[in-house]
Each structure stands twice: as structure tokens, then as C-alpha cells.
């Protein structure tokens, strides 16, 4: 796997897991990371291309700043301001952000709903 996604917490990771292939590594900072946690993340990510997906709040911005220093070439993904965080972001918006980041190959798209239509629906 040539990418790694970093999120704040396990609920964020769990939410992303619903729309990502199972072999995509998703790592957590578990809040604002200290120096040992940053070093652990650096080792976990290794040579993979990192993607940062933090909440759009003051804590998320602080964590993003720390990770930007650690991974200067990281790609950044964002939640919309109206969503409380990655864990509360609707799946369709998560997919949209993953697509914007060019990660279509790693997305598990939901099955289209199979609502039966009759000929009369189109008359």
C-alpha cells in the first residue's frame, strides 16, 4: 500500500473504514500527539504518501499543524465546517473528499439502491 491516512481518533478511523478498502492503513493521533506519538506515526507511515484528515475545529487545526511539520509533503483533506468532525461526516461527503484527494482506487462505493421501477413511473 502506497498511502496512509492519519486521523485524530478511533471513531474517525472507524468512520473512514466504512468507505475504504480494508488494506488502507489509517492511523490515529489519539488527540494532540506528543513527541513520542509523532515519532511512532512517522515510523508507521514510513515511505507511504500521508493524507491528513482532521476535524475542522481548533484541536484539529493544531494537530494538522504538528503533522504538517512532520509530513511536509502530506496531502490535506477537510471536513465541512457544519460537521462536528470526521466521525460525524456523512459517507457521501467522505467519499467526495477522498475523490478530491485522488484516492478513487481505494474507495468502497456503496451499492446503488435497488428500487424497482415500473413502466408507469416513466409515463
Amino acid at each position: 500500500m502506497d498511502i496512509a491516512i492519519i486521523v485524530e481518533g478511533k471513531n474517525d478511523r472507524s468512520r473512514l473504514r466504512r468507505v475504504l478498502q480494508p488494506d488502507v492503513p489509517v492511523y490515529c493521533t489519539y488527540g494532540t500527539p506528543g513527541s513520542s506519538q509523532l515519532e511512532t506515526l512517522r515510523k508507521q507511515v514510513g515511505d507511504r504518501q500521508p493524507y491528513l484528515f482532521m476535524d475542522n475545529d481548533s484541536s484539529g487545526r493544531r494537530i494538522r499543524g504538528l503533522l504538517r511539520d512532520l509530513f511536509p509533503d502530506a496531502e490535506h483533506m477537510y471536513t465541512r465546517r457544519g460537521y462536528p468532525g470526521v466521525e460525524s461526516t456523512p459517507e457521501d461527503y467522505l467519499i467526495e473528499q477522498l475523490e478530491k484527494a485522488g484516492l478513487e482506487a481505494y474507495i468502497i462505493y456503496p451499492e446503488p439502491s435497488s428500487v424497482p421501477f415500473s413502466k408507469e413511473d416513466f409515463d
Side-chain angles (χ1 to χ4, degrees):
M1 187 61 46
D2 56 343
I3 68 164
I5 299 176
I6 302 172
V7 296
E8 291 180 59
K10 61 183 180 179
N11 291 333
D12 298 336
R13 178 177 53 204
S14 182
R15 186 73 172 168
L16 272 178
R17 284 261 161 250
R18 295 170 64 165
V19 296
L20 283 173
Q21 292 179 3
D23 57 341
V24 174
V26 181
Y27 301 111
C28 299
T29 65
Y30 300 108
T32 303
S35 57
S36 65
Q37 177 64 15
L38 289 171
E39 182 60 22
T40 299
L41 281 170
R42 188 186 63 73
K43 287 178 182 175
Q44 288 174 323
V45 171
D47 293 334
R48 296 181 190 99
Q49 171 62 48
Y51 289 81
L52 308 180
F53 203 174
M54 309 291 124
D55 295 347
N56 194 6
D57 58 13
S58 61
S59 176
R61 287 188 291 276
R62 184 172 49 252
I63 294 167
R64 188 182 295 276
L66 290 169
L67 295 176
R68 184 180 293 126
D69 292 343
L70 186 64
F71 303 109
D73 297 331
E75 298 287 333
H76 295 263
M77 296 185 290
Y78 298 89
T79 59
R80 187 177 287 159
R81 284 195 190 273
Y83 300 138
V86 173
E87 70 185 56
S88 302
T89 301
E91 287 182 16
D92 61 335
Y93 191 77
L94 290 176
I95 289 171
E96 185 180 315
Q97 294 310 298
L98 292 165
E99 288 173 338
K100 261 189 190 179
L103 301 177
E104 296 90 345
Y106 305 103
I107 298 171
I108 298 174
Y109 290 94
E111 293 291 323
S113 60
S114 56
V115 177
F117 293 103
S118 67
K119 183 180 180 302
E120 291 79 29
D121 291 334
F122 298 100
D123 289 335

